[in-house]
Amino acid sequence: MQSKGVILKPGKDKAIRHRHHWIFSGAVQSFPSFKEGDFLPVYASDGQFLGSGYFNRQSGIVGRMVAFDQTPPLQKIEQHLLSAWELRKNWFDLNVTNAFRLINGEGDGLPGLIIDVYDQVFVIQCSTKGMDKLKPWLVETLNKHFHPKTIYEKSLLPSRKEEGLKDEQGFLAGEEKEEVSFKENGLIFTTNLAHSQKTGFFLDHREMRQWIGTLAKGKSVLNAFSYTGGFSVYALAGEAQLVDSVDISQEAIETAKRHATLNQLDKQSQHYYCADVFAFLREHSLDYDLVILDPPAFAKRQKDIVAACRGYKDINRLAMQKMPARSLLLTCSCSHYVNEDLFQKVLFQAAWEAKRFVRIIGRHRLAIDHPINLYHPESHYLKSFLLYIE
């Protein structure tokens, strides 16, 4: 039976026994004959069965486990899909919030797969060969259990190139629609399926946006890297005195304005700037009670870490230098390769160079629909610190 499966080298089975999903190429002793993306059983060097996963020899992560028992792979994937829904369905009142992440990759036991839901539109993102080959089955399974009106694929990821895949984007099933409207904590947002970032909206910051809404009352707020204005809408809905939104994309700025209008928020309290955030921070006084720095990932690869840390330090130093005493700074990093400890060290350096007394008064509030697999800590990527600037 072993001849039909992947056999690991002696001593290379510990991570799999501990339910870690990844198998690196150097851990494999032998492969059977197979096509890239196929599911295969996995064995330790002594012949013990460890589970099953899909494999691709073009990738440095040659295998990704989907089952750590005898359950057939497709059956296990379907079980994980339904288990993910069980986690979410009791947390979201769909009359108040109908946009959420249904599948969060390894966080839900399904490496290589993201599924986000916007009302009745399901957006799929496949980052690996194994999941990419499963798309017809995934569409069939989603239709069987959830009956979405639309299934759209938005697989635009650097990791696909490493897997030997081209980017893919388009409708997979159901009604074709360009724009989707959805609710988040009673607020209205929209997303353009084809032209938005990620799968359409930064759902992972839902709890942080809600927190900002509770902090904003009576305050002047700067939302830097505002994108389509998520934090801005929450701050305005939370009765902020003033909200300035800054983003380099004019299209994003226009969408942010539209979101404020959809939620009937006070136009006199809003200002928008299409500008480079670094330049804006250097050129303006930053006399705000609350500043939000939520940039895109500065480190998309391991080799980008040094440059990314320099970027994070610069924007935070600029803000800290100019912000008034007793103001708040919410600063975030979604760079997977910059972990929380490193990000905190960068903030220490920024505070020291800015010559400000800075205290941490809050950390990231994890969204329930973005669970982190305790056996797979690499699925943790988003960090936030709420800082008090003295």
Side-chain angles (χ1 to χ4, degrees), residues 118 121 123 152 154 156 169 171 177-182 189-201 227-228 251 255 258-259:
Y118 300 95
V121 175
V123 182
Y152 187 82
K154 196 162 187 179
L156 310 174
Q169 180 170 334
F171 293 94
K177 55 198 307 183
E178 183 177 346
E179 187 170 274
V180 183
S181 177
F182 58 92
F189 295 95
T190 64
T191 185
N192 184 298
L193 293 174
H195 301 296
S196 56
Q197 293 185 29
K198 298 181 78 171
T199 65
F201 199 71
Y227 189 41
T228 57
E251 184 179 359
T255 304
R258 188 150 60 93
H259 285 158

Coordinates of all heavy atoms in Angstrom, one line a residue, residues 118 121 123 152 154 156 169 171 177-182 189-201 227-228 251 255 258-259:
Y118 N -20.5 37.5 0.6 CA -21.1 38.8 0.5 C -22.5 38.7 0.2 O -22.9 38.5 -1.0 CB -20.4 39.7 -0.5 CG -18.9 39.8 -0.2 CD1 -17.9 39.0 -0.9 CD2 -18.4 40.8 0.7 CE1 -16.6 39.1 -0.6 CE2 -17.0 40.9 1.0 CZ -16.1 40.1 0.3 OH -14.8 40.2 0.6
V121 N -23.5 36.1 -2.4 CA -22.4 35.9 -3.4 C -21.2 35.3 -2.7 O -20.8 35.8 -1.7 CB -22.0 37.3 -4.0 CG1 -20.8 37.1 -4.9 CG2 -23.2 37.9 -4.8
V123 N -17.3 34.2 -2.9 CA -16.1 34.5 -3.7 C -15.0 33.4 -3.2 O -14.7 33.4 -2.0 CB -15.6 35.9 -3.4 CG1 -14.3 36.2 -4.2 CG2 -16.7 36.9 -3.8
Y152 N -18.2 33.3 -7.5 CA -17.2 34.0 -8.3 C -15.8 33.6 -7.8 O -15.5 33.5 -6.6 CB -17.4 35.5 -8.1 CG -16.5 36.4 -8.9 CD1 -16.9 36.7 -10.2 CD2 -15.4 37.0 -8.4 CE1 -16.2 37.6 -11.0 CE2 -14.6 37.9 -9.2 CZ -15.0 38.2 -10.5 OH -14.2 39.0 -11.3
K154 N -11.8 34.6 -7.5 CA -10.8 35.7 -7.6 C -9.5 35.1 -7.0 O -9.1 35.4 -5.9 CB -11.3 36.9 -6.7 CG -10.6 38.1 -7.1 CD -11.3 39.4 -6.6 CE -10.6 40.6 -7.2 NZ -11.3 41.9 -6.8
L156 N -6.1 35.6 -7.5 CA -5.0 36.5 -7.9 C -3.9 36.6 -6.9 O -3.9 37.5 -6.1 CB -5.6 37.9 -8.2 CG -6.9 37.9 -9.1 CD1 -7.4 39.3 -9.2 CD2 -6.6 37.4 -10.5
Q169 N -9.8 34.6 -12.7 CA -10.8 35.5 -12.2 C -12.1 35.4 -13.1 O -12.0 35.5 -14.3 CB -10.4 36.9 -12.1 CG -11.4 37.9 -11.5 CD -10.8 39.3 -11.3 OE1 -9.6 39.4 -11.0 NE2 -11.6 40.3 -11.3
F171 N -16.7 34.4 -13.2 CA -17.9 33.7 -12.6 C -17.8 32.2 -12.8 O -17.5 31.8 -13.9 CB -19.2 34.3 -13.2 CG -19.4 35.7 -12.9 CD1 -19.0 36.8 -13.7 CD2 -20.1 36.1 -11.7 CE1 -19.2 38.1 -13.4 CE2 -20.3 37.4 -11.4 CZ -19.9 38.4 -12.2
K177 N -23.0 39.3 -11.7 CA -23.3 40.7 -11.3 C -22.0 41.4 -10.9 O -21.1 40.8 -10.4 CB -24.2 40.8 -10.1 CG -23.8 39.9 -8.9 CD -24.9 39.6 -7.9 CE -25.6 40.9 -7.5 NZ -26.7 40.6 -6.5
E178 N -21.8 42.6 -11.3 CA -20.6 43.3 -11.2 C -20.3 43.8 -9.7 O -19.2 43.7 -9.2 CB -20.5 44.5 -12.1 CG -19.2 45.3 -12.1 CD -19.2 46.4 -13.1 OE1 -20.0 46.4 -14.0 OE2 -18.3 47.3 -13.0
E179 N -21.4 44.3 -9.1 CA -21.3 44.9 -7.8 C -22.2 44.2 -6.8 O -23.3 43.9 -7.2 CB -21.6 46.4 -7.9 CG -21.3 47.2 -6.5 CD -21.4 48.7 -6.7 OE1 -20.4 49.3 -7.1 OE2 -22.5 49.2 -6.4
V180 N -21.7 44.1 -5.6 CA -22.5 43.5 -4.5 C -22.6 44.4 -3.4 O -21.7 45.1 -3.0 CB -21.8 42.2 -4.0 CG1 -22.7 41.5 -3.0 CG2 -21.5 41.2 -5.2
S181 N -23.8 44.5 -2.8 CA -24.1 45.3 -1.6 C -24.3 44.4 -0.4 O -24.9 43.3 -0.6 CB -25.4 46.2 -1.8 OG -25.6 46.9 -0.6
F182 N -23.7 44.8 0.7 CA -23.8 43.9 1.9 C -23.8 44.7 3.2 O -23.6 45.9 3.1 CB -22.7 42.9 1.9 CG -21.3 43.5 1.9 CD1 -20.6 43.8 3.1 CD2 -20.6 43.8 0.8 CE1 -19.4 44.4 3.1 CE2 -19.4 44.4 0.7 CZ -18.8 44.7 1.9
F189 N -22.2 48.5 2.8 CA -21.0 48.6 2.0 C -21.2 47.9 0.7 O -22.2 47.2 0.5 CB -19.8 48.0 2.7 CG -19.3 48.7 4.0 CD1 -19.8 48.2 5.2 CD2 -18.5 49.8 3.9 CE1 -19.4 48.9 6.4 CE2 -18.1 50.4 5.1 CZ -18.6 50.0 6.3
T190 N -20.4 48.2 -0.3 CA -20.5 47.6 -1.6 C -19.1 47.1 -2.0 O -18.0 47.6 -1.5 CB -21.0 48.6 -2.7 OG1 -20.0 49.6 -2.8 CG2 -22.3 49.1 -2.3
T191 N -19.0 46.2 -2.9 CA -17.8 45.8 -3.5 C -17.9 45.5 -5.0 O -19.0 44.9 -5.4 CB -17.1 44.6 -2.8 OG1 -15.8 44.3 -3.3 CG2 -18.0 43.3 -2.9
N192 N -17.0 45.8 -5.7 CA -16.9 45.5 -7.2 C -16.1 44.2 -7.3 O -14.9 44.2 -7.0 CB -16.3 46.6 -8.0 CG -16.3 46.3 -9.5 OD1 -15.7 45.4 -9.9 ND2 -17.0 47.2 -10.2
L193 N -16.8 43.1 -7.7 CA -16.1 41.8 -7.7 C -14.8 41.8 -8.5 O -13.8 41.2 -8.1 CB -17.1 40.7 -8.2 CG -18.3 40.5 -7.3 CD1 -19.3 39.5 -8.0 CD2 -17.9 39.9 -6.0
A194 N -14.8 42.4 -9.7 CA -13.7 42.3 -10.6 C -12.5 43.2 -10.1 O -11.4 42.9 -10.3 CB -14.1 42.7 -12.0
H195 N -12.9 44.4 -9.6 CA -11.8 45.5 -9.4 C -11.4 45.7 -8.0 O -10.5 46.6 -7.7 CB -12.3 46.8 -10.1 CG -12.6 46.6 -11.5 ND1 -11.6 46.3 -12.5 CD2 -13.7 46.7 -12.2 CE1 -12.2 46.2 -13.7 NE2 -13.5 46.5 -13.6
S196 N -12.0 45.1 -7.0 CA -11.6 45.3 -5.6 C -10.4 44.5 -5.2 O -9.9 43.6 -6.0 CB -12.8 44.8 -4.7 OG -13.1 43.5 -5.0
Q197 N -9.8 44.9 -4.1 CA -8.6 44.1 -3.6 C -9.1 42.9 -2.9 O -10.2 42.8 -2.4 CB -7.8 45.0 -2.6 CG -7.2 46.2 -3.3 CD -6.3 47.0 -2.4 OE1 -5.7 46.5 -1.4 NE2 -6.1 48.3 -2.6
K198 N -8.2 41.9 -2.7 CA -8.4 40.6 -2.1 C -9.7 40.1 -2.7 O -9.9 40.1 -3.9 CB -8.5 40.8 -0.6 CG -7.2 41.3 0.0 CD -7.2 41.4 1.5 CE -7.1 40.1 2.2 NZ -7.0 40.2 3.7
T199 N -10.6 39.6 -1.9 CA -11.9 39.0 -2.4 C -13.0 40.0 -2.5 O -14.0 39.7 -3.0 CB -12.4 37.8 -1.5 OG1 -12.8 38.4 -0.3 CG2 -11.4 36.8 -1.3
G200 N -12.7 41.3 -2.1 CA -13.7 42.3 -2.2 C -13.7 43.3 -1.1 O -14.1 44.5 -1.3
F201 N -13.4 42.9 0.1 CA -13.4 43.8 1.3 C -12.5 43.2 2.3 O -12.3 42.0 2.4 CB -14.9 43.8 1.8 CG -15.2 45.0 2.7 CD1 -15.2 46.3 2.1 CD2 -15.4 44.9 4.0 CE1 -15.5 47.4 2.9 CE2 -15.7 45.9 4.8 CZ -15.8 47.2 4.3
Y227 N -8.5 53.1 1.8 CA -9.1 52.2 0.8 C -10.5 52.7 0.6 O -10.8 53.8 0.3 CB -8.9 50.8 1.2 CG -9.4 49.8 0.2 CD1 -9.0 49.9 -1.2 CD2 -10.1 48.7 0.5 CE1 -9.4 49.0 -2.1 CE2 -10.5 47.7 -0.5 CZ -10.2 47.9 -1.8 OH -10.6 47.0 -2.7
T228 N -11.5 51.8 0.8 CA -12.9 52.2 0.5 C -13.6 52.7 1.7 O -14.9 52.7 1.7 CB -13.7 51.0 -0.2 OG1 -13.6 49.9 0.7 CG2 -13.1 50.6 -1.5
E251 N -10.1 55.9 -7.3 CA -11.2 55.1 -7.3 C -11.7 54.6 -5.9 O -12.9 54.6 -5.6 CB -10.9 53.8 -8.2 CG -12.1 52.9 -8.4 CD -11.7 51.7 -9.2 OE1 -10.6 51.6 -9.7 OE2 -12.6 50.9 -9.5
T255 N -15.2 55.5 -3.9 CA -16.0 54.4 -3.2 C -16.2 54.7 -1.8 O -17.3 54.5 -1.2 CB -15.4 53.0 -3.4 OG1 -15.1 52.8 -4.8 CG2 -16.3 52.0 -2.8
R258 N -18.9 57.2 -1.5 CA -20.2 56.6 -1.7 C -20.7 55.8 -0.5 O -21.9 55.8 -0.2 CB -20.1 55.7 -3.0 CG -21.5 55.1 -3.4 CD -21.5 54.9 -4.9 NE -20.5 54.0 -5.3 CZ -20.7 52.7 -5.4 NH1 -21.9 52.2 -5.2 NH2 -19.7 51.9 -5.8
H259 N -19.8 55.1 0.2 CA -20.1 54.4 1.4 C -20.7 55.3 2.5 O -21.6 55.0 3.2 CB -19.0 53.6 1.9 CG -18.7 52.4 1.1 ND1 -17.4 51.7 1.1 CD2 -19.4 51.6 0.2 CE1 -17.5 50.7 0.3 NE2 -18.7 50.6 -0.3

